[in-house]
Amino acid sequence: MSPCMAETAGNRLSGEEKGAPWRPGQAEREGSAGRDRPVVLVVDDEESMRDSCTQVLEREGFEVIAVCDARRALDVMGRRRPDVLIVDLKMPGMSGEEFLRRATEQDPDIISVAITGYANLSSAVEAMKAGAYEFL
């Protein structure tokens, strides 16, 4: 496994999905019995951001898969179906905007949050056009 892919005990990538995907409000509609934790895919080239996101999200009960680039994230999406994406917009190789476009094509219902340390109005607009639900 690549050194930039973080694995926690609960998210070994077996190539098989663990049960039906969770969506916001699903517990109210269908009941939560037998559902696994929601899966968040964090895509950021900065290790400190991946680690911080992982710690916070796991503490809140999410299963987290963290990768350092968009190509690895697309590979993960081919094997697992995350419920939420947290994506850095400025990464080497494939940009966050391009990844969001491809991820949304693969799963039109995916919830995506774009993050960046270089925020401006045009990057926010581009992220939303690419499929981001929220911009931080």
Side-chain angles (χ1 to χ4, degrees), residues 10 27 31 35 39 43 47 52 55 61 64-65 71 82 93 98 100 103 112 120 127 131 133-134:
R35 297 273 178 211
V39 176
V43 188
E47 184 177 11
S52 295
Q55 288 175 12
V64 179
I65 302 168
R71 295 216 182 275
E98 179 61 23
L100 286 170
S112 304
N120 60 49
Y133 177 80
E134 189 62 68

Side-chain angles (χ1 to χ4, degrees), residues 36-51:
D36 288 320
R37 298 179 300 159
V39 176
V40 178
L41 176 57
V42 177
V43 188
D44 199 308
D45 61 321
E46 293 182 32
E47 184 177 11
S48 62
M49 283 299 293
R50 291 191 311 271
D51 291 346

Side-chain angles (χ1 to χ4, degrees), residues 117-135:
Y118 308 97
N120 60 49
L121 183 58
S122 65
S123 62
V125 169
E126 289 304 311
M128 300 306 253
K129 285 181 182 178
Y133 177 80
E134 189 62 68
F135 181 86

Side-chain angles (χ1 to χ4, degrees), residues 3-133:
C4 78
M5 168 128 21
E7 274 195 76
T8 59
N11 74 333
R12 301 285 183 234
L13 296 176
S14 66
E16 298 175 9
E17 288 194 47
K18 296 178 177 179
W22 178 90
R23 295 284 182 232
Q26 182 170 332
E28 292 81 15
R29 291 190 305 272
E30 300 175 5
S32 58
R35 297 273 178 211
D36 288 320
R37 298 179 300 159
V39 176
V40 178
L41 176 57
V42 177
V43 188
D44 199 308
D45 61 321
E46 293 182 32
E47 184 177 11
S48 62
M49 283 299 293
R50 291 191 311 271
D51 291 346
S52 295
C53 288
T54 298
Q55 288 175 12
V56 169
L57 292 165
E58 285 182 341
R59 190 171 37 239
E60 293 298 320
F62 293 93
E63 178 180 343
V64 179
I65 302 168
V67 297
C68 66
D69 65 47
R71 295 216 182 275
R72 284 180 178 83
L74 289 172
D75 181 55
V76 168
M77 288 185 69
R79 295 181 283 146
R80 295 285 306 271
R81 184 174 179 195
D83 301 293
V84 177
L85 303 174
I86 298 178
V87 181
D88 182 15
L89 294 179
K90 303 293 182 194
M91 294 183 289
M94 186 188 307
S95 71
E97 289 95 344
E98 179 61 23
F99 169 73
L100 286 170
R101 277 190 271 291
R102 291 184 187 193
T104 303
E105 286 173 5
Q106 193 169 333
D107 183 354
D109 297 324
I110 192 79
I111 297 169
S112 304
V113 177
I115 59 175
T116 186
Y118 308 97
N120 60 49
L121 183 58
S122 65
S123 62
V125 169
E126 289 304 311
M128 300 306 253
K129 285 181 182 178
Y133 177 80

